[in-house]
Amino acid sequence: MSRLRLLLAGSAALSLLAACGEGAKNDAAAPADEPVAATDAPPVATAGADETVHDGGAEQLPEDPIPATEGPPETPAPAAEKASFPHGGVGDLLPGSGSGYADRTDWSPQMCWPMEEVGFPNSQVYNAGGSKGPSGKGQCDKTNYDFPWRDNFCESRGASNPACGSATGHQGQDIRPKTCEKNKHWAVAAEDGVVTDIGSYTVTLTASTPPYRIYRYLHMNMPALPVKEGQAVKKGQRLGQVSNYFGSTPTTIHLHFEMRVAAAEQTSDGKSLAARAFVPPYSSLVKAYERKLAGGTC
Amino acid sequence: MAMRSIILGVAASALIAAAAVSQTNPTGQTSPSTQPGAAPTQPSSTPRPGATTTRPLPKLPPRPRLGQVDWTQVVSDRRQRPGERLLAAFKTKLDQGAVDRTRIPILIPEDGPLMERARFYSFGDFYSLNLDVPNGSVELTGTKIFTPAPKNFINRLKPEGPENLTVVRTIDGVQASFTRYGLLYTVEIRCDEPKDGRCREEGPLRKILEKVRGVVLGREARRAAGLEGQS
């Protein structure tokens, strides 16, 4: 069973994380710009360095089947250019973790890196501490908090993702915060927009300009969010602290970052099909972090 | 000439040094920081074996395009739909200013309890209608902005019926997409608890979908439909 070490007034005590229920919901009737009092924020909890998460590592429920991995990415790797920090390629998933989607499209060319500080995109399931990761290592293993970055869009999961070869796969990118401490490192708005939904472990940000991308931020510190549903936010504005909320079963400490657009495609019989689709965030994250390294504001 | 070579040499050295900084300090910090009590998570400056630092250039996303609203069908549906009074009651639950700014038909479920605490957010050509269900929420969206997708991006979906209904399971729920009046609409149910059966099967969402028959037009939409002066 996964346990989290709660630090209460400087003294450590072991406790199971309480389930997050209706109390986490924000009141939509409250004024949009009303600040949220931080006094009811829960004590800071820190996962121990030796802690192993046995909950599936991320959004994968134990009862959900993980499809067998298939062949190489559909799109061939194109020509190369110089990049500014160590990161794996688009669609280059951890071996054995599925077949990536090698799409070089920067689906949100102007977006902010969605963390206030450095973060480490990589797998929560197949890395240390994940249910399919190397044995004997916890989620705080230093390899999880290091470069190179690793794409995990389309990583083998049970949820739908038509872009992936098997039509199932991870719908976003998992990002670990700067350190293995929850409720400390901030996730920020990728674009100007409105917080259109807050769930028990999810925040939905809808961009205020076309194509009205929908960004989803999962597993933040929900009782202490500085935003409310209906609130307009600027890009770079704090949305919440990266944590491990996932209903009644905590996940690893990470931000699940997801982007959706209204996609339209011509089918083979010439008809037009449209659907709200998950788009791979990895290229946009790399470019956004490069802009941040180059002195960008976010 | 010699001076020029020196200047070029210095500039080249500076560029190399700058590149070295960006390579060895990818956290964006000028010096390593330590977090008291933190696990040993400081990123190293050395890429692990197998990591490469040369990557292909990203492509810009396809240019979005505007869908054309089938106003004739919208008007026809509004005439044929019974329960206009019920619809008017629902409409009062919505922020009228936001409704009036919306340039597309707003679809709502004909379900009083579901509409009881409706919150409506308008972006003009896009809207989000947020509804409460016990221990969860339902979000309806509508848009006339489409992004052309790469080949095989969504066509593994299996569309149903004349509105090309597709249903996908998300991490926290189930999402349906369909086209009506030339626009894309979605209905998504989200649950507080990932194991909640309503968010793991399509049935509960499909029941909600069956009720999504009401059409509300704000001032901008009525103008576009040629219905100015009508409610």
Side-chain angles (χ1 to χ4, degrees):
Chain A
M1 173 176 283
S2 172
R3 287 190 174 191
L4 296 174
R5 216 169 273 160
L6 297 182
L7 301 177
L8 290 165
S11 64
L14 286 172
S15 172
L16 285 169
L17 185 75
C20 176
E22 280 293 287
K25 281 207 174 258
N26 284 338
D27 183 2
D33 56 354
E34 183 181 285
V36 179
T39 51
D40 58 350
V44 172
T46 305
D50 57 348
E51 181 181 16
T52 302
V53 174
H54 295 291
D55 62 2
E59 301 85 16
Q60 181 70 29
L61 296 173
E63 57 270 35
D64 276 354
I66 293 181
T69 57
E70 35 347 275
E74 293 179 336
T75 312
E81 67 150 352
K82 184 88 174 160
S84 60
F85 65 95
H87 59 278
V90 175
D92 183 16
L93 273 54
L94 272 178
S97 69
S99 180
Y101 184 77
D103 170 29
R104 292 184 294 114
T105 305
D106 180 357
W107 287 95
S108 183
Q110 305 298 322
M111 82 171 195
C112 273
W113 162 243
M115 298 270 208
E116 209 168 61
E117 305 161 286
V118 68
F120 302 99
N122 55 41
S123 175
Q124 308 299 300
V125 174
Y126 293 85
N127 269 24
S131 61
K132 293 183 179 293
S135 58
K137 291 183 173 180
Q139 66 164 318
C140 293
D141 191 272
K142 65 179 182 182
T143 56
N144 285 340
Y145 291 83
D146 198 356
F147 294 91
W149 285 11
R150 182 74 81 163
D151 191 353
N152 84 325
F153 183 80
C154 280
E155 186 176 85
S156 293
R157 303 287 177 92
S160 318
N161 191 340
C164 310
S166 60
T168 63
H170 195 225
Q171 298 164 345
Q173 175 67 47
D174 289 332
I175 309 172
R176 295 182 203 264
K178 181 179 176 183
T179 68
C180 190
E181 293 172 278
K182 69 177 190 177
N183 306 342
K184 177 173 184 175
H185 304 290
W186 289 94
V188 301
E191 276 193 78
D192 292 355
V194 174
V195 177
T196 49
D197 185 47
I198 294 179
S200 69
Y201 61 96
T202 64
V203 171
T204 303
L205 170 68
T206 302
S208 54
T209 54
Y212 307 110
R213 297 179 191 90
I214 293 175
Y215 297 92
R216 303 205 72 219
Y217 294 72
L218 273 60
H219 316 306
M220 296 195 293
N221 181 15
M222 303 307 287
L225 290 182
V227 293
K228 290 189 172 188
E229 191 196 298
Q231 183 174 336
V233 296
K234 291 289 186 187
K235 75 178 189 179
Q237 186 172 335
R238 288 176 168 179
L239 295 182
Q241 297 155 317
V242 181
S243 193
N244 64 351
Y245 280 82
F246 187 38
S248 57
T249 309
T251 180
T252 49
I253 299 166
H254 75 282
L255 175 72
H256 170 95
F257 180 76
E258 190 177 299
M259 293 160 48
R260 300 184 197 176
V261 300
E265 184 177 351
Q266 203 82 2
T267 59
S268 54
D269 56 359
K271 292 177 183 170
S272 182
L273 177 64
R276 176 80 54 201
F278 312 100
V279 294
Y282 192 75
S283 283
S284 300
L285 290 168
V286 169
K287 297 307 290 180
Y289 192 63
E290 285 178 354
R291 288 191 291 272
K292 185 176 176 69
L293 286 178
T297 54
C298 61
Chain B
M1 186 69 180
M3 180 61 77
R4 189 176 175 187
S5 299
I6 291 169
I7 291 170
L8 286 173
V10 169
S13 301
L15 282 174
I16 291 166
V21 168
S22 69
Q23 282 294 332
T24 56
N25 196 4
T27 63
Q29 297 174 330
T30 52
S31 61
S33 68
T34 54
Q35 301 293 336
T41 57
Q42 206 59 41
S44 78
S45 58
T46 311
R48 287 208 297 275
T52 55
T53 55
T54 56
R55 293 289 159 232
L57 275 173
K59 298 184 297 185
L60 285 174
R63 196 181 179 88
R65 59 179 176 79
L66 276 176
Q68 296 297 314
V69 185
D70 184 351
W71 290 113
T72 305
Q73 190 63 47
V74 173
V75 172
S76 170
D77 280 2
R78 277 168 58 85
R79 283 188 184 134
Q80 290 175 22
R81 286 295 310 151
E84 278 294 320
R85 194 174 300 162
L86 184 67
L87 204 61
F90 292 159
K91 198 174 157 184
T92 63
K93 303 281 184 191
L94 310 179
D95 175 341
Q96 194 55 48
V99 169
D100 282 340
R101 285 196 301 276
T102 308
R103 294 185 284 269
I104 59 176
I106 300 162
L107 299 188
I108 63 171
E110 293 177 340
D111 182 317
L114 196 56
M115 287 293 291
E116 189 57 39
R117 287 194 68 243
R119 286 91 70 200
F120 184 75
Y121 308 108
S122 177
F123 301 81
D125 294 325
F126 175 96
Y127 72 81
S128 167
L129 173 63
N130 210 333
L131 312 170
D132 284 350
V133 292
N135 302 314
S137 64
V138 173
E139 186 182 37
L140 291 85
T141 71
T143 186
K144 69 184 294 191
I145 309 284
F146 295 88
T147 300
K151 192 179 177 192
N152 292 329
F153 198 70
I154 57 172
N155 75 7
R156 289 190 185 93
L157 294 168
K158 294 180 172 56
E160 303 170 25
E163 295 186 331
N164 278 341
L165 172 70
T166 58
V167 180
V168 296
R169 225 187 84 203
T170 67
I171 290 170
D172 57 339
V174 188
Q175 173 188 274
S177 301
F178 58 97
T179 47
R180 190 177 295 177
Y181 311 132
L183 309 178
L184 177 67
Y185 291 95
T186 66
V187 181
E188 182 173 2
I189 185 168
R190 297 168 181 153
C191 298
D192 289 347
E193 181 55 56
K195 295 172 184 171
D196 190 322
R198 296 170 304 170
C199 285
R200 299 182 56 74
E201 294 163 6
E202 296 182 8
L205 179 72
R206 287 181 182 271
K207 281 184 180 168
I208 296 171
L209 271 169
E210 288 171 7
K211 298 175 184 174
V212 181
R213 294 169 302 201
V215 185
V216 170
L217 300 182
R219 191 173 54 229
E220 290 292 325
R222 286 196 304 273
R223 183 178 299 155
L227 298 173
E228 278 178 301
Q230 300 179 39
S231 60

